[in-house]
mmCIF file of all heavy atoms in Angstrom:
data_model
loop_
_atom_site.group_PDB
_atom_site.id
_atom_site.type_symbol
_atom_site.label_atom_id
_atom_site.label_comp_id
_atom_site.label_asym_id
_atom_site.label_seq_id
_atom_site.Cartn_x
_atom_site.Cartn_y
_atom_site.Cartn_z
ATOM 1 N N LYS A 1 -8.771 13.843 -0.965
ATOM 2 C CA LYS A 1 -8.132 15.055 -0.479
ATOM 3 C C LYS A 1 -6.664 15.059 -0.882
ATOM 4 O O LYS A 1 -6.080 14.003 -1.110
ATOM 5 C CB LYS A 1 -8.234 15.137 1.045
ATOM 6 C CG LYS A 1 -9.645 15.035 1.591
ATOM 7 C CD LYS A 1 -9.627 14.993 3.106
ATOM 8 C CE LYS A 1 -11.020 14.880 3.679
ATOM 9 N NZ LYS A 1 -11.000 14.824 5.171
ATOM 10 N N PRO A 2 -6.041 16.230 -0.945
ATOM 11 C CA PRO A 2 -4.612 16.276 -1.276
ATOM 12 C C PRO A 2 -3.762 15.416 -0.349
ATOM 13 O O PRO A 2 -2.762 14.846 -0.795
ATOM 14 C CB PRO A 2 -4.267 17.763 -1.136
ATOM 15 C CG PRO A 2 -5.541 18.463 -1.470
ATOM 16 C CD PRO A 2 -6.620 17.594 -0.884
ATOM 17 N N GLU A 3 -4.142 15.308 0.915
ATOM 18 C CA GLU A 3 -3.380 14.502 1.855
ATOM 19 C C GLU A 3 -3.488 13.007 1.600
ATOM 20 O O GLU A 3 -2.794 12.218 2.237
ATOM 21 C CB GLU A 3 -3.779 14.816 3.306
ATOM 22 C CG GLU A 3 -5.277 14.841 3.531
ATOM 23 C CD GLU A 3 -5.863 16.238 3.456
ATOM 24 O OE1 GLU A 3 -5.531 16.982 2.512
ATOM 25 O OE2 GLU A 3 -6.653 16.596 4.349
ATOM 26 N N ASP A 4 -4.357 12.599 0.677
ATOM 27 C CA ASP A 4 -4.435 11.204 0.275
ATOM 28 C C ASP A 4 -3.362 10.847 -0.748
ATOM 29 O O ASP A 4 -3.212 9.670 -1.096
ATOM 30 C CB ASP A 4 -5.805 10.883 -0.310
ATOM 31 C CG ASP A 4 -6.929 11.012 0.706
ATOM 32 O OD1 ASP A 4 -6.734 10.590 1.865
ATOM 33 O OD2 ASP A 4 -8.006 11.519 0.340
ATOM 34 N N THR A 5 -2.647 11.837 -1.234
ATOM 35 C CA THR A 5 -1.603 11.600 -2.222
ATOM 36 C C THR A 5 -0.528 10.678 -1.657
ATOM 37 O O THR A 5 0.059 10.958 -0.614
ATOM 38 C CB THR A 5 -0.969 12.918 -2.669
ATOM 39 O OG1 THR A 5 -1.952 13.722 -3.332
ATOM 40 C CG2 THR A 5 0.184 12.672 -3.632
ATOM 41 N N ALA A 6 -0.285 9.573 -2.343
ATOM 42 C CA ALA A 6 0.674 8.581 -1.880
ATOM 43 C C ALA A 6 0.749 7.456 -2.896
ATOM 44 O O ALA A 6 -0.038 7.390 -3.837
ATOM 45 C CB ALA A 6 0.265 8.019 -0.511
ATOM 46 N N VAL A 7 1.715 6.570 -2.688
ATOM 47 C CA VAL A 7 1.744 5.316 -3.409
ATOM 48 C C VAL A 7 0.976 4.296 -2.583
ATOM 49 O O VAL A 7 1.245 4.135 -1.387
ATOM 50 C CB VAL A 7 3.182 4.825 -3.661
ATOM 51 C CG1 VAL A 7 3.167 3.478 -4.367
ATOM 52 C CG2 VAL A 7 3.948 5.846 -4.492
ATOM 53 N N TYR A 8 0.038 3.623 -3.199
ATOM 54 C CA TYR A 8 -0.818 2.673 -2.507
ATOM 55 C C TYR A 8 -0.389 1.249 -2.827
ATOM 56 O O TYR A 8 -0.169 0.891 -3.984
ATOM 57 C CB TYR A 8 -2.280 2.890 -2.902
ATOM 58 C CG TYR A 8 -2.893 4.102 -2.250
ATOM 59 C CD1 TYR A 8 -2.511 5.378 -2.636
ATOM 60 C CD2 TYR A 8 -3.843 3.974 -1.236
ATOM 61 C CE1 TYR A 8 -3.048 6.499 -2.031
ATOM 62 C CE2 TYR A 8 -4.394 5.083 -0.633
ATOM 63 C CZ TYR A 8 -3.992 6.344 -1.035
ATOM 64 O OH TYR A 8 -4.539 7.462 -0.432
ATOM 65 N N TYR A 9 -0.283 0.431 -1.781
ATOM 66 C CA TYR A 9 0.139 -0.952 -1.888
ATOM 67 C C TYR A 9 -0.901 -1.867 -1.254
ATOM 68 O O TYR A 9 -1.613 -1.464 -0.341
ATOM 69 C CB TYR A 9 1.462 -1.191 -1.155
ATOM 70 C CG TYR A 9 2.612 -0.319 -1.575
ATOM 71 C CD1 TYR A 9 2.793 0.939 -1.017
ATOM 72 C CD2 TYR A 9 3.541 -0.769 -2.509
ATOM 73 C CE1 TYR A 9 3.865 1.738 -1.378
ATOM 74 C CE2 TYR A 9 4.612 0.028 -2.876
ATOM 75 C CZ TYR A 9 4.768 1.276 -2.307
ATOM 76 O OH TYR A 9 5.832 2.065 -2.674
ATOM 77 N N CYS A 10 -0.946 -3.090 -1.719
ATOM 78 C CA CYS A 10 -1.759 -4.088 -1.044
ATOM 79 C C CYS A 10 -0.862 -5.152 -0.439
ATOM 80 O O CYS A 10 0.312 -5.285 -0.797
ATOM 81 C CB CYS A 10 -2.793 -4.722 -1.989
ATOM 82 S SG CYS A 10 -2.106 -5.678 -3.361
ATOM 83 N N ASN A 11 -1.409 -5.897 0.512
ATOM 84 C CA ASN A 11 -0.665 -6.956 1.171
ATOM 85 C C ASN A 11 -1.656 -7.976 1.724
ATOM 86 O O ASN A 11 -2.870 -7.760 1.663
ATOM 87 C CB ASN A 11 0.220 -6.382 2.284
ATOM 88 C CG ASN A 11 1.471 -7.200 2.517
ATOM 89 O OD1 ASN A 11 1.409 -8.427 2.636
ATOM 90 N ND2 ASN A 11 2.618 -6.535 2.596
ATOM 91 N N ALA A 12 -1.130 -9.070 2.255
ATOM 92 C CA ALA A 12 -1.979 -10.153 2.724
ATOM 93 C C ALA A 12 -1.441 -10.748 4.010
ATOM 94 O O ALA A 12 -0.239 -10.718 4.278
ATOM 95 C CB ALA A 12 -2.099 -11.247 1.658
ATOM 96 N N VAL A 13 -2.351 -11.290 4.804
ATOM 97 C CA VAL A 13 -2.024 -12.024 6.018
ATOM 98 C C VAL A 13 -2.247 -13.497 5.757
ATOM 99 O O VAL A 13 -3.311 -13.897 5.289
ATOM 100 C CB VAL A 13 -2.890 -11.562 7.208
ATOM 101 C CG1 VAL A 13 -2.645 -12.459 8.421
ATOM 102 C CG2 VAL A 13 -2.594 -10.115 7.547
ATOM 103 N N TYR A 14 -1.241 -14.308 6.085
ATOM 104 C CA TYR A 14 -1.322 -15.741 5.844
ATOM 105 C C TYR A 14 -1.555 -16.539 7.115
ATOM 106 O O TYR A 14 -1.561 -17.751 7.091
ATOM 107 C CB TYR A 14 -0.040 -16.237 5.162
ATOM 108 C CG TYR A 14 0.259 -15.551 3.874
ATOM 109 C CD1 TYR A 14 1.196 -14.521 3.818
ATOM 110 C CD2 TYR A 14 -0.400 -15.913 2.709
ATOM 111 C CE1 TYR A 14 1.468 -13.875 2.641
ATOM 112 C CE2 TYR A 14 -0.134 -15.265 1.518
ATOM 113 C CZ TYR A 14 0.802 -14.251 1.490
ATOM 114 O OH TYR A 14 1.065 -13.618 0.303
ATOM 115 N N GLY A 15 -1.747 -15.852 8.226
ATOM 116 C CA GLY A 15 -1.980 -16.507 9.501
ATOM 117 C C GLY A 15 -0.975 -16.131 10.562
ATOM 118 O O GLY A 15 -1.214 -16.346 11.742
ATOM 119 N N THR A 16 0.154 -15.555 10.160
ATOM 120 C CA THR A 16 1.182 -15.143 11.108
ATOM 121 C C THR A 16 1.423 -13.643 11.098
ATOM 122 O O THR A 16 2.037 -13.110 12.031
ATOM 123 C CB THR A 16 2.498 -15.878 10.825
ATOM 124 O OG1 THR A 16 3.468 -15.518 11.811
ATOM 125 C CG2 THR A 16 3.028 -15.500 9.442
ATOM 126 N N GLY A 17 0.974 -12.959 10.067
ATOM 127 C CA GLY A 17 1.166 -11.524 9.975
ATOM 128 C C GLY A 17 1.228 -11.075 8.527
ATOM 129 O O GLY A 17 1.143 -11.885 7.605
ATOM 130 N N TRP A 18 1.390 -9.785 8.348
ATOM 131 C CA TRP A 18 1.478 -9.245 6.999
ATOM 132 C C TRP A 18 2.756 -9.717 6.311
ATOM 133 O O TRP A 18 3.813 -9.806 6.919
ATOM 134 C CB TRP A 18 1.446 -7.723 7.027
ATOM 135 C CG TRP A 18 0.153 -7.163 7.534
ATOM 136 C CD1 TRP A 18 -0.092 -6.653 8.761
ATOM 137 C CD2 TRP A 18 -1.084 -7.081 6.811
ATOM 138 N NE1 TRP A 18 -1.397 -6.253 8.862
ATOM 139 C CE2 TRP A 18 -2.033 -6.500 7.675
ATOM 140 C CE3 TRP A 18 -1.474 -7.443 5.519
ATOM 141 C CZ2 TRP A 18 -3.356 -6.276 7.284
ATOM 142 C CZ3 TRP A 18 -2.791 -7.218 5.134
ATOM 143 C CH2 TRP A 18 -3.711 -6.636 6.009
ATOM 144 N N SER A 19 2.630 -9.995 5.031
ATOM 145 C CA SER A 19 3.782 -10.400 4.243
ATOM 146 C C SER A 19 4.809 -9.278 4.187
ATOM 147 O O SER A 19 4.447 -8.093 4.186
ATOM 148 C CB SER A 19 3.341 -10.775 2.823
ATOM 149 O OG SER A 19 4.460 -10.991 1.991
ATOM 150 N N ASP A 20 6.083 -9.645 4.154
ATOM 151 C CA ASP A 20 7.146 -8.657 4.032
ATOM 152 C C ASP A 20 7.525 -8.404 2.580
ATOM 153 O O ASP A 20 8.497 -7.700 2.306
ATOM 154 C CB ASP A 20 8.382 -9.063 4.838
ATOM 155 C CG ASP A 20 8.949 -10.400 4.409
ATOM 156 O OD1 ASP A 20 8.440 -10.995 3.442
ATOM 157 O OD2 ASP A 20 9.916 -10.858 5.052
ATOM 158 N N SER A 21 6.763 -8.972 1.664
ATOM 159 C CA SER A 21 6.952 -8.737 0.241
ATOM 160 C C SER A 21 5.901 -7.756 -0.252
ATOM 161 O O SER A 21 4.722 -7.865 0.099
ATOM 162 C CB SER A 21 6.860 -10.045 -0.546
ATOM 163 O OG SER A 21 7.896 -10.936 -0.168
ATOM 164 N N TRP A 22 6.338 -6.809 -1.068
ATOM 165 C CA TRP A 22 5.456 -5.766 -1.566
ATOM 166 C C TRP A 22 5.524 -5.667 -3.079
ATOM 167 O O TRP A 22 6.551 -5.959 -3.690
ATOM 168 C CB TRP A 22 5.817 -4.413 -0.958
ATOM 169 C CG TRP A 22 5.724 -4.383 0.531
ATOM 170 C CD1 TRP A 22 6.707 -4.748 1.421
ATOM 171 C CD2 TRP A 22 4.601 -3.983 1.309
ATOM 172 N NE1 TRP A 22 6.248 -4.601 2.711
ATOM 173 C CE2 TRP A 22 4.957 -4.121 2.666
ATOM 174 C CE3 TRP A 22 3.328 -3.519 1.001
ATOM 175 C CZ2 TRP A 22 4.087 -3.807 3.706
ATOM 176 C CZ3 TRP A 22 2.458 -3.208 2.027
ATOM 177 C CH2 TRP A 22 2.844 -3.348 3.365
ATOM 178 N N GLY A 23 4.420 -5.251 -3.665
ATOM 179 C CA GLY A 23 4.397 -4.996 -5.090
ATOM 180 C C GLY A 23 4.952 -3.621 -5.405
ATOM 181 O O GLY A 23 5.544 -2.950 -4.554
ATOM 182 N N GLN A 24 4.768 -3.195 -6.626
ATOM 183 C CA GLN A 24 5.267 -1.897 -7.059
ATOM 184 C C GLN A 24 4.407 -0.744 -6.555
ATOM 185 O O GLN A 24 4.866 0.390 -6.481
ATOM 186 C CB GLN A 24 5.353 -1.837 -8.580
ATOM 187 C CG GLN A 24 6.434 -2.706 -9.186
ATOM 188 C CD GLN A 24 7.812 -2.214 -8.839
ATOM 189 O OE1 GLN A 24 8.485 -2.755 -7.953
ATOM 190 N NE2 GLN A 24 8.258 -1.167 -9.518
ATOM 191 N N GLY A 25 3.165 -1.030 -6.214
ATOM 192 C CA GLY A 25 2.253 0.006 -5.779
ATOM 193 C C GLY A 25 1.680 0.774 -6.960
ATOM 194 O O GLY A 25 2.104 0.615 -8.100
ATOM 195 N N THR A 26 0.703 1.615 -6.663
ATOM 196 C CA THR A 26 0.113 2.461 -7.687
ATOM 197 C C THR A 26 -0.011 3.879 -7.142
ATOM 198 O O THR A 26 -0.438 4.091 -6.007
ATOM 199 C CB THR A 26 -1.258 1.903 -8.144
ATOM 200 O OG1 THR A 26 -1.773 2.684 -9.223
ATOM 201 C CG2 THR A 26 -2.268 1.878 -6.998
ATOM 202 N N GLN A 27 0.384 4.845 -7.933
ATOM 203 C CA GLN A 27 0.448 6.238 -7.494
ATOM 204 C C GLN A 27 -0.921 6.895 -7.551
ATOM 205 O O GLN A 27 -1.621 6.822 -8.561
ATOM 206 C CB GLN A 27 1.429 7.028 -8.367
ATOM 207 C CG GLN A 27 1.481 8.518 -8.053
ATOM 208 C CD GLN A 27 2.169 8.811 -6.743
ATOM 209 O OE1 GLN A 27 3.267 8.328 -6.487
ATOM 210 N NE2 GLN A 27 1.509 9.605 -5.896
ATOM 211 N N VAL A 28 -1.284 7.546 -6.465
ATOM 212 C CA VAL A 28 -2.496 8.354 -6.391
ATOM 213 C C VAL A 28 -2.086 9.788 -6.096
ATOM 214 O O VAL A 28 -1.412 10.052 -5.101
ATOM 215 C CB VAL A 28 -3.464 7.844 -5.313
ATOM 216 C CG1 VAL A 28 -4.626 8.822 -5.121
ATOM 217 C CG2 VAL A 28 -3.987 6.470 -5.679
ATOM 218 N N THR A 29 -2.476 10.702 -6.967
ATOM 219 C CA THR A 29 -2.158 12.110 -6.799
ATOM 220 C C THR A 29 -3.443 12.925 -6.793
ATOM 221 O O THR A 29 -4.230 12.863 -7.737
ATOM 222 C CB THR A 29 -1.231 12.603 -7.916
ATOM 223 O OG1 THR A 29 -0.034 11.833 -7.934
ATOM 224 C CG2 THR A 29 -0.878 14.069 -7.705
ATOM 225 N N VAL A 30 -3.646 13.681 -5.734
ATOM 226 C CA VAL A 30 -4.830 14.517 -5.585
ATOM 227 C C VAL A 30 -4.369 15.968 -5.511
ATOM 228 O O VAL A 30 -3.727 16.377 -4.542
ATOM 229 C CB VAL A 30 -5.642 14.150 -4.340
ATOM 230 C CG1 VAL A 30 -6.931 14.968 -4.292
ATOM 231 C CG2 VAL A 30 -5.954 12.657 -4.322
#
């Protein structure tokens, strides 16, 4: 849907929470 338009990022949990480091992401445009 158009409302899905965003930059999408992935992240990981190492046992204490989500990492505070992020990649560049990938753009999705609908």
Side-chain angles (χ1 to χ4, degrees):
K1 305 175 180 179
E3 48 264 47
D4 295 319
T5 296
V7 178
Y8 284 71
Y9 304 85
C10 64
N11 209 312
V13 173
Y14 302 100
T16 183
W18 295 102
S19 172
D20 59 4
S21 297
W22 300 86
Q24 290 292 102
T26 185
Q27 176 72 50
V28 172
T29 302
V30 185

